[in-house]
């Protein structure tokens, strides 16, 4: 049955993937050319960076009947996972036109509240034993195909600390890792960067292999899995303000940082410098893929500080308490358009930095 499952998705991708991400030193390349080729902004080299946004609810669904009604669309009174992924896909061309080249998604999503003390919902692409659920895989396939067609990269997370407890044991985590990796390789996508888990140092993880002292084991496992001589590019992320450990630096193809809680742009610069000083570091891209700070109207902000030290930057937008549906890319039901003042400010600033002309 598993072979048939993988074969089904492989046969669905008979044509060559049009978008291929690669790494050359500290730079990202797409289809053999550096991203934002030749672009310089305020004296800073933008070429080779990968501007991104956290869009982890692209494949969202809630399998808990008690919490699923929370995410109902106002116009229909019910939640609709297929509508959510379709509207996400429809927004990709506009985002790309403004200079967005990557989105972060996750097989276990992220908190639909932005930040949560408890997470009773079940947004999980894996069965308790680690098998990949076909419905979640089908939605993820649509996301990967659409990003591929739009010349965009997907930073694809496997695990999230709000849902990892739904895997019954370490063997299930390993099986889920292997199934996800094989599924991606069988699918033939070349526009993927794997983020094994989100914020590996967060204490909420249940399984030891997902915690920061052992996560390099899963990174190495993904790196060593090949098909036709090809493997996936892989790393993992830490919580806001944290510097990667040596074991992760030595195992990773790229380094993911997060900046939630980092209020001062100078700290962004310091994080990049400290990361490059970790033993085992070799020239590789450093990429922020979660930062909930804006201040795009100010000369100094986290986004500007990142690019000034040649580090890619990614935005994290969630609906704050009392805000309307138009706000928050991480809060379902999501309006995936540039529907709020905050979203419009981000995309305007992104287009300015990348030299895009939407």
């Amino acid at each position: 049955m598993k072979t048939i499952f993988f074969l089904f998705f492989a046969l669905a991708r008979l044509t060559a993937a049009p978008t291929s991400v690669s790494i050359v030193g500290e730079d990202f390349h797409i289809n053999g050319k550096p991203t934002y080729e030749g672009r310089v902004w305020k004296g800073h080299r933008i070429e080779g960076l990968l501007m991104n946004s956290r869009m982890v609810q692209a494949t969202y669904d809630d399998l808990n009947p008690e919490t699923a009604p929370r995410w109902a669309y106002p116009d229909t009174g019910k939640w609709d996972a297929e509508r959510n992924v379709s509207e996400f896909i429809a927004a990709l061309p506009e985002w790309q036109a403004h200079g967005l080249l990557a989105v972060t998604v996750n097989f276990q999503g992220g908190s639909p509240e932005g930040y949560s003390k408890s997470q009773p919902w079940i947004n999980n692409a894996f069965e308790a034993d680690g098998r990949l659920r076909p419905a979640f895989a089908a939605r993820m396939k649509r996301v990967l195909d659409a990003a591929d067609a739009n010349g965009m990269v997907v930073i694809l997370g496997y695990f999230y600390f709000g849902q990892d407890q739904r895997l019954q044991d370490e063997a299930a985590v390993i099986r889920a890792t292997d199934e996800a990796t094989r599924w991606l390789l069988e699918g033939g996508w070349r526009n993927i960067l794997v983020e094994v888990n989100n914020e590996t140092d967060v204490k909420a993880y249940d399984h030891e292999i997902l915690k920061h002292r052992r996560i390099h084991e899963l990174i190495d496992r993904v790196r060593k899995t090949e098909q036709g001589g090809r493997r996936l590019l892989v790393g993992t992320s830490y919580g806001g303000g944290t510097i990667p450990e040596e074991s992760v630096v030595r195992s990773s193809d790229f380094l993911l940082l997060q900046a939630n809680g980092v209020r001062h742009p100078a700290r962004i610069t310091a994080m990049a410098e400290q990361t490059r000083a970790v033993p085992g570091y070799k020239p590789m891209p450093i990429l922020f893929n979660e930062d909930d700070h804006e201040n795009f109207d100010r000369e100094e902000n986290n986004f500007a500080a990142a690019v000034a030290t040649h580090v890619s930057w990614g935005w994290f937008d969630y609906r704050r308490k009392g805000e309307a549906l138009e706000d928050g890319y991480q809060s379902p039901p999501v309006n995936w358009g540039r529907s709020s003042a905050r979203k419009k400010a981000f995309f305007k600033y992104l287009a300015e930095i990348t030299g895009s002309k939407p």
Side-chain angles (χ1 to χ4, degrees), residues 49-223:
L49 297 181
L50 192 70
M51 307 313 182
N52 62 95
S53 182
R54 183 173 171 83
M55 308 293 199
V56 292
Q57 312 299 21
T59 59
Y60 188 81
D61 200 9
D62 187 354
L63 304 183
N64 183 348
E66 294 184 2
T67 54
R70 295 187 189 184
W71 327 118
Y73 286 94
D75 57 344
T76 64
K78 62 180 182 180
W79 167 249
D80 186 340
E82 293 306 311
R83 172 180 173 177
N84 177 63
V85 71
S86 293
E87 292 181 354
F88 169 88
I89 289 169
L92 287 174
E94 185 176 22
W95 297 343
Q96 200 273 352
H98 283 78
L100 193 73
L101 289 186
V103 292
T104 293
V105 300
N106 195 301
F107 275 124
Q108 293 191 323
S111 170
E113 297 173 339
Y115 297 96
S116 304
K117 292 183 179 180
S118 63
Q119 302 198 38
W121 41 83
I122 303 175
N123 177 33
N124 178 18
F126 306 108
E127 300 283 1
D129 63 359
R131 286 175 296 151
L132 190 58
R133 287 178 165 135
F136 279 79
R139 288 193 296 275
M140 187 64 79
K141 177 186 183 300
R142 293 177 62 191
V143 167
L144 297 175
D145 284 347
D148 199 5
N150 281 280
M152 298 178 72
V153 174
V154 175
I155 304 166
L156 203 166
Y158 287 2
F159 306 108
Y160 176 66
F161 59 81
Q163 298 293 313
D164 80 297
Q165 73 275 17
R166 305 194 184 284
L167 292 160
Q168 62 192 16
D169 52 26
E170 185 167 304
V173 174
I174 291 172
R175 179 176 181 175
T177 301
D178 290 346
E179 288 223 358
T181 302
R182 287 195 298 267
W183 180 78
L184 291 169
L185 288 170
E186 291 283 348
W189 296 285
R190 297 174 183 269
N191 61 327
I192 297 167
L193 302 174
V194 172
E195 176 186 20
V196 174
N197 62 340
N198 178 68
E199 299 184 359
T200 186
D201 59 321
V202 170
K203 295 180 180 179
Y205 277 109
D206 283 35
H207 302 289
E208 291 298 321
I209 199 168
L210 289 173
K211 297 180 181 180
H212 64 104
R213 290 185 178 85
R214 291 186 58 198
I215 193 61
H216 65 281
E217 297 175 28
L218 291 182
I219 296 174
D220 290 339
R221 194 175 185 92
V222 174
R223 290 190 71 185

